[in-house]
């Protein structure tokens, strides 16, 4: 049963455009994450929010910015996309930190032409 | 920071055979360990969560072994079947860096009928 929802499923855009991905969790969790999964399936964390506060901000280009309106939502905006941004973006949530299991959404596949 | 190496990157076995995947990690403070399964086109599903105090963990059709001395985490799928064909990822969380999960590089498993 899906409890972490992501939209859109798939997005095709051109270099230089702005895109925004949405993530919502209905698990009542305090922590949410954005991961990037590249074409080789490598998973790298980008951002993490706990109780609407940014707690992890890995080295990602400045064109990426997370946006959290409340604990249940964490969106990702990419300003001026580049070809290397083509990937699957996975949202996840966990009850707290560290030892708590992360539950993943279905992902948003981005293709930049 | 934590480094997690996962081997092999690709594995092909016959139905009924065992499939063995190993991760080695670097941070001796690593405390929580996870195995995730990702079927083609789908998101990550938790297979098992392991605490540092437990060396042998039995799941349904698989066993997870933790060797803290060697800093090694293993997944053994016993009697694999075609439905096990997927990508498998280990993930490690250090107790003193509670907010960060480091993923292995993934193993793509194919089970031939």
């Amino acid at each position: 049963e899906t409890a972490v929802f992501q939209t859109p499923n798939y997005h095709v855009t051109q270099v230089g455009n702005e895109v925004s991905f949405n993530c919502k969790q209905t698990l009542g969790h305090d922590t949410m994450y954005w991961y990037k999964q590249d074409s080789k399936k490598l998973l790298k964390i980008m951002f993490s929010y706990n109780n609407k506060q940014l707690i992890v901000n890995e080295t990602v280009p400045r064109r990426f910015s997370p946006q959290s309106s409340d604990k249940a939502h964490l969106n990702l905006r990419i300003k001026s996309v580049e070809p290397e941004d083509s990937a699957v973006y996975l949202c996840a949530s966990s009850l707290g930190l560290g030892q708590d299991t992360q539950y993943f959404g279905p992902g948003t596949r981005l293709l930049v032409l | 920071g934590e480094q997690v190496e996962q081997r092999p990157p690709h594995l092909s076995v016959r139905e009924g055979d065992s499939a063995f995947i190993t991760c080695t990690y670097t941070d001796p403070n690593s405390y929580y360990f996870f195995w995730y399964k990702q079927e083609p086109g789908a998101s990550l599903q938790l297979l098992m969560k392991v605490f540092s105090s437990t060396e042998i963990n039995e799941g349904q059709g698989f066993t997870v072994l933790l060797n803290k001395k060697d800093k090694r985490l293993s997944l053994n799928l016993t009697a694999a079947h075609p439905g096990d064909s997927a990508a498998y990822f280990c993930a490690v969380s250090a107790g003193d860096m509670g907010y960060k999960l480091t993923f292995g590089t993934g193993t793509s498993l194919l089970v031939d009928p």
Side-chain angles (χ1 to χ4, degrees):
Chain A
E1 188 182 343
T2 306
V4 182
F5 303 90
Q6 288 185 243
T7 56
N9 294 328
Y10 192 70
H11 189 80
V12 182
T13 191
Q14 295 193 328
V15 170
N17 284 349
E18 177 174 315
V19 299
S20 191
F21 304 147
N22 300 314
C23 180
K24 171 187 168 182
Q25 53 94 1
T26 57
L27 296 164
H29 287 169
D30 286 343
T31 310
M32 295 185 72
Y33 312 79
W34 275 107
Y35 288 86
K36 180 180 178 182
Q37 186 172 38
D38 64 20
S39 57
K40 295 181 181 176
K41 293 198 173 291
L42 282 172
L43 269 160
K44 289 204 174 160
I45 188 163
M46 300 175 71
F47 302 102
S48 174
Y49 268 71
N50 177 257
N51 278 314
K52 289 170 55 183
Q53 296 229 330
L54 180 66
I55 54 167
V56 170
N57 184 359
E58 291 295 298
T59 306
V60 297
R62 283 190 173 188
R63 58 181 181 278
F64 289 85
S65 59
Q67 297 164 324
S68 177
S69 56
D70 57 49
K71 286 196 310 185
H73 295 84
L74 182 64
N75 299 333
L76 180 67
R77 186 178 79 155
I78 314 174
K79 205 166 135 179
S80 191
V81 293
E82 298 286 336
E84 62 264 30
D85 298 338
S86 295
V88 176
Y89 292 86
L90 291 166
C91 176
S93 75
S94 65
L95 184 61
L97 302 170
Q99 73 273 24
D100 293 324
T101 300
Q102 293 184 22
Y103 295 88
F104 285 80
T108 293
R109 185 175 294 274
L110 173 66
L111 179 60
V112 181
L113 301 174
Chain B
E2 175 89 86
Q3 305 282 329
V4 180
E5 188 174 331
Q6 186 172 339
R7 289 281 182 267
H10 302 280
L11 182 59
S12 184
V13 301
R14 289 185 188 171
E15 185 172 5
D17 286 351
S18 292
F20 195 76
I21 303 169
T22 297
C23 289
T24 53
Y25 57 94
T26 56
D27 190 338
N29 293 316
S30 296
Y31 219 69
Y32 306 102
F33 306 86
F34 305 82
W35 279 103
Y36 283 90
K37 176 183 180 181
Q38 186 178 32
E39 293 180 356
S43 193
L44 282 82
Q45 294 174 285
L46 179 72
L47 272 182
M48 183 172 276
K49 172 179 167 183
V50 173
F51 294 100
S52 64
S53 57
T54 311
E55 292 189 344
I56 302 173
N57 303 267
E58 300 281 352
Q60 196 168 3
F62 62 90
T63 303
V64 171
L65 303 172
L66 177 62
N67 182 327
K68 286 185 289 183
K69 177 173 165 286
D70 295 341
K71 295 199 276 299
R72 184 180 298 126
L73 177 73
S74 304
L75 171 68
N76 185 28
L77 293 162
T78 51
H81 55 87
D84 292 330
S85 296
Y88 291 82
F89 295 88
C90 64
V92 179
S93 175
D96 59 349
M97 294 284 281
Y99 49 77
K100 194 168 170 183
L101 200 60
T102 303
F103 279 84
T105 45
T107 296
S108 182
L109 172 66
L110 179 64
V111 182
D112 292 318

